[in-house]
């Protein structure tokens, strides 16, 4: 029987992870299955336990369960413990090992795929949920000049910054506090785009030559990328590259081999440009 994996989320039907992992498995000659599993908002732990009992080998975790997955894991990798959020789990007889591959995925997309420089740059991270938690550590390790975390609920941004106190030039605020500041790289790690919304951003947040990066992806430009274009961002990128890169890192965690992400990203981009009928 094939080794069984899956992604848990709510919603999850839109997930491209099954297609990505099927492509990685074919590329690497591994026999596995991978499915999207809709967990009830109050029933993630039960869904996960049922999957393990049915022979599941590992799982990805997406919105809104990453922090709960961190609490449920019996052991954590150092980067998952630092983030307080888990997007990848592996199951073995001794329990559940939790990892976080979001930060590695984002950094690889920014630097390898988009040629973006982080060192010495001013970075703005919007959001303080599971996705933001996973990327703060790796962004700081790339030695930016400044990293500001802004969130609708400012106290949540402050809690997140507190986790990383002393690790780099980091501070937290609410969106109105950004007035008068500008940044070389603005990363949207909120789920606002899922509802067709965008965080409120004061004028001039996007410096000349800046890159606006939305972790969200889909057909066409997201509300955040439309706003960024209107406010003068020089380059726009969605989160499809991050999705493929974090998946490659999860595949390595489970299967011990890092697949080649480039052909899989190209395949997804080709599908994404097919117009809807
Ligand atoms: P969470 O539910 O953990 O966090 C949601 C965040 O979005 C919070 O900071 C919340 O603010 C903020 N938010 C929600 N709605 C709004 C709004 N209308 N206006 C402003 N802020 C809002 O989600 P995740 O962190 O797990 O995921 C965030 C996004 O990142 C999702 O769109 C997800 O698909 C994407 N993602 C993409 C990845 C990729 O590989 N491309 C990987 C991981 C995530 P508050 O605290 O105030 O509620």
């Amino acid at each position: 029987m094939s080794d069984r994996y899956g992604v848990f989320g709510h919603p999850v039907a839109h997930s491209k992870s099954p297609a990505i992992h099927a492509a990685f498995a074919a590329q690497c000659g591994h026999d596995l299955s991978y499915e999207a599993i809709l967990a009830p908002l109050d029933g993630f732990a039960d869904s996960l336990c049922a999957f393990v009992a049915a022979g599941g080998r590992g799982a990805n975790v997406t919105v809104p369960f990453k922090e709960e997955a961190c609490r449920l894991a019996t052991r954590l990798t150092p980067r998952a413990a630092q983030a307080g959020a888990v997007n990848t789990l592996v199951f073995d007889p001794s329990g559940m090992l939790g990892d976080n591959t979001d930060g590695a995925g984002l950094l690889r997309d920014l630097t390898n795929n988009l040629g973006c420089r982080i060192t010495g740059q001013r970075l703005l991270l919007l959001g303080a949920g599971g996705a933001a938690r996973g990327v703060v550590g790796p962004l700081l390790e790339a030695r930016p000049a400044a990293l500001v975390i802004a969130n609708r609920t400012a106290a949540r941004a402050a809690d997140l910054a507190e986790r990383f106190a002393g690790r780099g030039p980091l501070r937290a605020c609410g969106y109105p506090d950004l007035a008068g500041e500008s940044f070389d790289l603005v990363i949207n790690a909120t789920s606002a785009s899922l509802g067709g919304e965008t965080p409120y951003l004061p004028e001039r947040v996007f410096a000349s030559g800046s890159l606006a990066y939305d972790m969200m992806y889909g057909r066409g430009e997201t509300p955040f990328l439309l706003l960024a274009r209107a406010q003068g961002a020089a380059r726009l990128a969605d989160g499809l590259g991050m999705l493929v890169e974090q998946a490659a890192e999860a595949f390595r965690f489970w299967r011990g081999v890092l697949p080649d992400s480039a052909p899989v990203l190209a395949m997804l981009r080709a599908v994404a440009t097919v117009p809807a009928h």
Side-chain angles (χ1 to χ4, degrees):
M1 211 169 83
S2 305
D3 292 342
R4 199 171 161 211
Y5 297 87
V7 56
F8 289 78
H10 189 122
V12 78
H14 67 286
S15 176
K16 296 185 189 302
S17 293
I20 294 171
H21 283 285
F24 287 161
Q27 184 191 105
C28 300
H30 287 215
D31 181 17
L32 60 83
S33 70
Y34 188 107
E35 62 207 280
I37 300 165
L38 179 70
L41 287 174
D42 60 354
F44 171 58
D46 288 347
S47 295
L48 199 59
C49 288
F51 184 70
V52 176
R57 297 284 300 267
N60 285 131
V61 181
T62 186
V63 187
F65 299 125
K66 290 181 182 179
E67 290 165 64
E68 190 176 347
C70 188
R71 293 191 291 273
L72 291 171
T74 49
R75 286 166 295 137
L76 295 170
T77 61
R79 62 189 179 182
Q82 190 186 45
V86 158
N87 78 333
T88 305
L89 288 160
V90 64
F91 312 126
D92 62 30
S94 64
M96 288 187 208
L97 174 59
D99 190 20
N100 192 312
T101 67
D102 280 339
L106 174 68
L107 264 289
R108 215 178 290 154
D109 191 35
L110 286 170
T111 55
N112 293 6
N113 300 339
L114 297 168
C116 174
R117 192 161 62 91
I118 310 281
T119 308
Q121 302 292 292
R122 284 179 53 77
L123 316 185
L124 172 60
L125 178 64
L126 307 172
R133 282 171 168 267
V135 305
V136 172
L139 285 173
L140 286 175
E141 281 162 22
R143 292 181 291 108
L147 172 58
V148 176
I149 306 171
N151 195 42
R152 179 175 62 181
T153 311
R156 227 175 146 201
D159 287 348
L160 178 52
E162 187 57 37
R163 282 188 89 86
F164 293 88
R167 290 175 192 252
L170 179 64
R171 84 188 152 79
C173 65
Y175 296 133
D177 306 316
L178 294 170
E181 293 201 66
S182 60
F183 298 87
D184 305 300
L185 170 62
V186 181
I187 301 166
N188 182 23
T190 76
S191 53
S193 290
L194 285 173
E197 296 176 6
T198 181
Y200 160 77
L201 292 179
E203 297 274 323
R204 290 191 286 279
V205 154
F206 299 92
S208 68
S210 61
L211 170 65
Y213 188 101
D214 198 344
M215 287 192 188
M216 176 78 186
Y217 52 86
R219 273 180 210 280
E221 286 173 5
T222 64
F224 168 73
L225 293 179
L226 288 170
L227 175 85
R229 180 190 293 284
Q231 292 197 1
R235 295 176 66 203
L236 309 177
D238 70 12
L240 197 61
M242 174 181 174
L243 180 78
V244 174
E245 298 296 352
Q246 64 77 30
E249 194 70 14
F251 192 93
R252 170 157 68 180
F253 187 63
W254 293 326
R255 313 293 300 184
V257 49
L258 183 67
D260 182 2
S261 57
V264 180
L265 181 55
M267 173 191 80
L268 292 178
R269 288 263 179 242
V271 172
T273 55
V274 173
H277 292 289

